[in-house]
Amino acid sequence: MGRFNGFILVPAFAAFVAGCSGGGDGGQGQPQCVPACGERQCGGDGCGGSCGECEAPWWCEEESGQCVECVPDCEGKTCGEDGCGGTCGECGEGWSCSPYLSKCVGGCSGDCTDRECGDDGCGGSCGQCGAGDECDGAGRCGPAASCTDGQKNGTESDVDCGGGCPDRCPAGKRCNGGTDCKSGKCEGGTCQEDLSCVDAQLSAGETDVDCGGPRCSPCALTKFCKEHPDCLTKACVFGVCSAPTCGDGALNQDESDVDCGGVCEDCPDGKLCHGGDDCTGGGCEGGTCCSANACGECTST
């Protein structure tokens, strides 16, 4: 057996003997098989034999019959493709291979169909978003949202809630999945109410009967609360939902930042703004107050 550029070449006649033993017509009147290797260095010869074997780290490309250099990548993997047409391992009975993690998971097969990020449904991940992006409830990466601008943008499922925003959406708001909703239930693209939020009882997590807390809709005026988001007015003062003011320490009304801008006093430089009218310096660039020059533009520092 000879070598060629690091490959082990199996003589064609050996393949001929292995694949077409008997010679002639085999005494049965059947045509003999003629191996067809030609310039093939490896793979099948068409008669059940081989045109040769590749020596590691070279691999046989079956279609061309050529030995090609490929370095399998199985680092951190227990299953799945190795990048060279092979596998990093097979999962045992009752286990399946997570497509993103390339690891065996018990009793669950991760599903990342049409998803590029987020949970694969089996405790694994479908991928991570790049810098400046975030993953929405539908498993798509997009620009990070501004969760206090009164607009639906970024990956929000509804205005300033869902997606990458810290606030989950109450019942009736739009959603892409259960993670967008306070109740954890999204049906037909709309957040559903948690049943415990309509039972006329003060259930666990609620700040008042059927309202407030992490799952239920915000509470009306005079209802008990713990935090600003517990209230429709977004103003929880001394544990009671109150009318919004310019001194309640909450971002509500049409304020651009907490207790300034909009109907309140203008905001100082560095605070959030919707326009120059929100700012003491008369300038608003990139959503931040700054001091404008005579041309109405902020001076450079």
Side-chain angles (χ1 to χ4, degrees):
M1 183 179 300
R3 293 178 179 270
F4 175 71
N5 291 338
F7 314 130
I8 301 175
L9 301 181
V10 180
F13 74 86
F16 176 82
V17 173
C20 308
S21 59
D25 62 5
Q28 302 298 321
Q30 300 296 323
Q32 67 181 21
C33 181
V34 179
C37 285
E39 297 182 355
R40 293 175 64 86
Q41 299 171 334
C42 58
D45 65 357
C47 292
S50 173
C51 292
E53 300 291 338
C54 300
E55 190 174 73
W58 296 72
W59 292 71
C60 185
E61 186 179 69
E62 290 293 336
E63 185 175 349
S64 66
Q66 301 297 305
C67 291
V68 295
E69 187 173 18
C70 182
V71 180
D73 180 15
C74 288
E75 183 177 357
K77 302 178 181 179
T78 56
C79 59
E81 298 179 355
D82 64 1
C84 291
T87 179
C88 293
E90 300 293 338
C91 298
E93 184 176 356
W95 294 72
S96 57
C97 189
S98 171
Y100 178 74
L101 296 175
S102 293
K103 293 183 181 293
C104 295
V105 292
C108 183
S109 179
D111 183 9
C112 289
T113 305
D114 296 327
R115 296 179 67 88
E116 56 184 343
C117 58
D119 192 350
D120 67 356
C122 292
S125 173
C126 291
Q128 303 296 324
C129 296
D133 288 346
E134 61 186 9
C135 189
D136 66 13
R140 311 299 298 179
C141 292
S146 173
C147 302
T148 58
D149 58 6
Q151 301 180 43
K152 182 182 180 300
N153 48 29
T155 59
E156 299 167 354
S157 61
D158 210 311
V159 177
D160 294 344
C161 69
C165 291
D167 289 340
R168 302 297 89 194
C169 297
K173 297 294 185 178
R174 288 168 291 185
C175 55
N176 296 314
T179 56
D180 290 326
C181 306
K182 281 193 170 187
S183 65
K185 298 179 181 179
C186 177
E187 296 180 5
T190 302
C191 288
Q192 305 298 307
E193 192 71 85
D194 190 300
L195 293 180
S196 66
C197 297
V198 291
D199 59 4
Q201 298 182 43
L202 182 61
S203 305
E206 299 172 357
T207 59
D208 209 316
V209 176
D210 293 346
C211 69
R215 298 188 310 276
C216 301
S217 299
C219 298
L221 285 170
T222 73
K223 296 291 185 178
F224 291 117
C225 57
K226 291 183 178 179
E227 300 175 313
H228 295 313
D230 291 329
C231 305
L232 286 169
T233 60
K234 295 185 178 179
C236 180
V237 181
F238 298 115
V240 177
C241 289
S242 307
T245 68
C246 294
D248 56 16
L251 179 63
N252 45 34
Q253 306 178 87
D254 64 344
E255 301 164 356
S256 60
D257 208 320
V258 177
D259 294 341
C260 70
V263 298
C264 300
E265 293 183 355
D266 292 343
C267 297
D269 288 358
K271 295 293 186 178
L272 299 178
C273 55
H274 300 310
D277 292 342
D278 291 325
C279 308
T280 56
C284 178
E285 291 187 357
T288 302
C289 286
C290 53
S291 296
N293 57 24
C295 297
E297 298 177 349
C298 290
T299 56
S300 59
T301 57

